[in-house]
Amino acid sequence: MSKEIPETMRAAVLRDPEIGLQVETIRTPHPNDGEVLIKVTACGMCHSDLHVIGGKIAFPLPAVLGHEVTGEIVEIGPNTEHFNFAVGQHVSGAFLMPCGQCEFCAAGRDDLCAPFFDLNRLKGQLYDGHTRLFGVDGEPIAMYSMGALAEYCVIPATSIAVLEHGMDLTASAILGCAALTGYGAVRRGANLHYGETVAVVATGGIGSNIIQVAKAFGAAQIIAIDVADEKLQAAKELGATHTINSTQEDVRTAVFEITHGRGVDVAFEALGRPETWTSALDALRDGGRMVPIGLGAGVQTAAVEINRTVRRSQSILGSYGARTRQDLPVVVKMAAAGKIDYQHIVTQKFALEDAGKGYSLLAQGKIQGRAVVEMSL
C-alpha cells in the first residue's frame, strides 16, 4: 500500500433526500480481491444519481453516489494479476460493474450481472456482501456503483479500461456511463446496421453519445428530438442530420415528413419519461425497433398502442448500459480516435462541494450535454 494514500478523504454523502449531498470526511477505502483503488480525477453527473438523491429510486442511506469516473490507479488488490493493471495508470471506470462469475457474466452478458443488481443496486455493496466505505467512526456507507463522488474509490477490476495517452482525464469521466450506455444502445440494443435511419429522443449526455455512435456506425439519417433549441443545435454539431423541437412540432408528422412517409428504423429514448416513450414509438416505421435507455423515476409506466405494435411488428428492446468488459475498451478507443467527441459533451465542471448545486441544475434541465465533478477544483 502506498504511503501517499491518506487515512481519510472527502466524499459527497447522501443521508437524507430532503437535505441532499453534503461533503464529509470519511475513511479512505482499500481494495479487496479482484479490485483496484482509484484516486479520482473526475466523476460524471447522471440522471440516475439524481433519482436517488431525490428519493425517487430506493437506495440504502447513507450513501456515496457517482458512477462514471476517471482517475489514477493507486493500489491494486489481490488476485488481479491477469488483468495486467499497474499503479499509476489512468483509467476509466464503468457504472455497470460485472462480477465476472455469475451465469450471465459467464455468457458475456455483463449488463445482466446478478450480483451487480442484487448486491450493489439493492444493498450498496460489492460482491463479498460488504461496502468499502465507512465513516471515521466505522459507520457503513453504501456505494452506488463505485461511489465516485469522493477523492478515492474502489472498483472491481472487471470494470475499468486504461485510457490512451493524451486523453483528457477530466472529460473522460463520461465514458463509463454516458458514452458506454450510448454505445450499448446502438451496438447491443439496436444492433444498428449501416444505412439505417435513427431518431434520438432527449439529447442530453446519453442522447448526445447515441448520436455520435450512430453516426460512426453509418446511420443514414439521425433525427434529434428535444424540447430545447440549444440542445438541438448541439446535437446537430455532433452529427444529427435533422432536429425536431417537440414543443413546436408534432413528432410523428415531422419524422414521417423527413423520412418520406416511412418512419425511422430505430428510435432511441434516453430520458425515461412517458412522453418521451410516446415520441419514440410515434417515430417508428413498420417493423421498427424502439430502444429505451432512460431510467424512470421510481416505478413508472408508459403507454404502448397495442394494435400498432402488434400489426406493424414493432419491437421494444430495453438497453441498460453495455457489456462492460467488451465494450468499455472499444468506447475508449472510439473517444481517442475522435469518433466520440467526449470533450465538448462536458459543458460544466463543479467542485465536490458544489455537487449538490450541479444536480439541482440537472434536475431543472439546465445542463447541456454532461456536467462533471472535478476533484482538483
Side-chain angles (χ1 to χ4, degrees), residues 5-13 23-30 37-40 64 132-134 136 141 146-154 352:
I5 302 172
E7 291 185 3
T8 61
M9 66 175 185
R10 296 179 305 139
V13 180
V23 175
E24 300 180 12
T25 296
I26 67 174
R27 294 180 185 176
T28 303
H30 293 284
L37 179 67
I38 305 297
K39 183 177 182 182
V40 175
V64 175
R132 301 291 176 268
L133 297 180
F134 297 90
V136 291
I141 299 173
M146 72 290 291
L149 286 172
E151 292 179 308
Y152 293 84
C153 68
V154 167
L352 183 61

Side-chain angles (χ1 to χ4, degrees), residues 32-179:
N32 285 354
D33 278 11
E35 300 168 355
V36 299
L37 179 67
I38 305 297
K39 183 177 182 182
V40 175
T41 297
C43 175
M45 306 174 77
C46 177
H47 272 92
S48 299
D49 290 327
L50 190 62
H51 292 326
V52 177
I53 293 169
K56 295 177 181 177
I57 289 182
F59 195 73
L61 299 178
V64 175
L65 309 179
H67 60 264
E68 53 180 24
V69 64
T70 46
E72 178 184 347
I73 297 177
V74 292
E75 187 180 354
I76 298 175
N79 300 315
T80 54
E81 295 82 4
H82 61 289
F83 288 100
N84 294 317
F85 293 129
V87 169
Q89 287 179 320
H90 290 166
V91 296
S92 168
F95 84 97
L96 210 167
M97 307 184 307
C99 72
Q101 303 295 322
C102 70
E103 63 172 312
F104 294 110
C105 287
R109 291 301 304 269
D110 293 5
D111 54 319
L112 297 176
C113 173
F116 173 74
F117 290 101
D118 294 343
L119 291 174
N120 187 266
R121 276 297 182 265
L122 291 181
K123 300 179 179 180
Q125 301 169 348
L126 291 184
Y127 305 141
D128 60 352
H130 298 282
T131 181
R132 301 291 176 268
L133 297 180
F134 297 90
V136 291
D137 59 355
E139 173 192 30
I141 299 173
M143 305 166 63
Y144 192 73
S145 288
M146 72 290 291
L149 286 172
E151 292 179 308
Y152 293 84
C153 68
V154 167
I155 314 178
T158 55
S159 313
I160 61 174
V162 177
L163 296 173
E164 297 198 11
H165 179 72
M167 293 185 71
D168 183 328
L169 193 54
T170 296
S172 293
I174 72 161
L175 299 182
C177 177

Side-chain angles (χ1 to χ4, degrees), residues 48 50 104-105 135 151 157 191 232-233 275 283 313 315 319 329 369:
S48 299
L50 190 62
F104 294 110
C105 287
E151 292 179 308
N191 190 23
L232 291 171
Q233 178 57 38
E275 58 269 31
S313 297
S315 303
S319 178

Side-chain angles (χ1 to χ4, degrees), residues 301-314:
T301 60
V304 176
E305 187 179 327
I306 295 172
N307 287 358
R308 185 205 298 176
T309 304
V310 173
R311 287 173 173 165
R312 308 328 306 169
S313 297
Q314 295 173 337

Side-chain angles (χ1 to χ4, degrees), residues 330-362:
V330 175
V331 168
V332 169
K333 288 183 181 296
M334 290 182 71
K339 300 296 184 183
I340 296 175
D341 183 359
Y342 64 102
Q343 290 173 291
H344 288 101
I345 288 178
V346 176
T347 59
Q348 295 191 52
K349 300 174 184 178
F350 296 90
L352 183 61
E353 288 78 8
D354 294 327
K357 175 184 175 183
Y359 280 108
S360 178
L361 292 172
L362 182 63

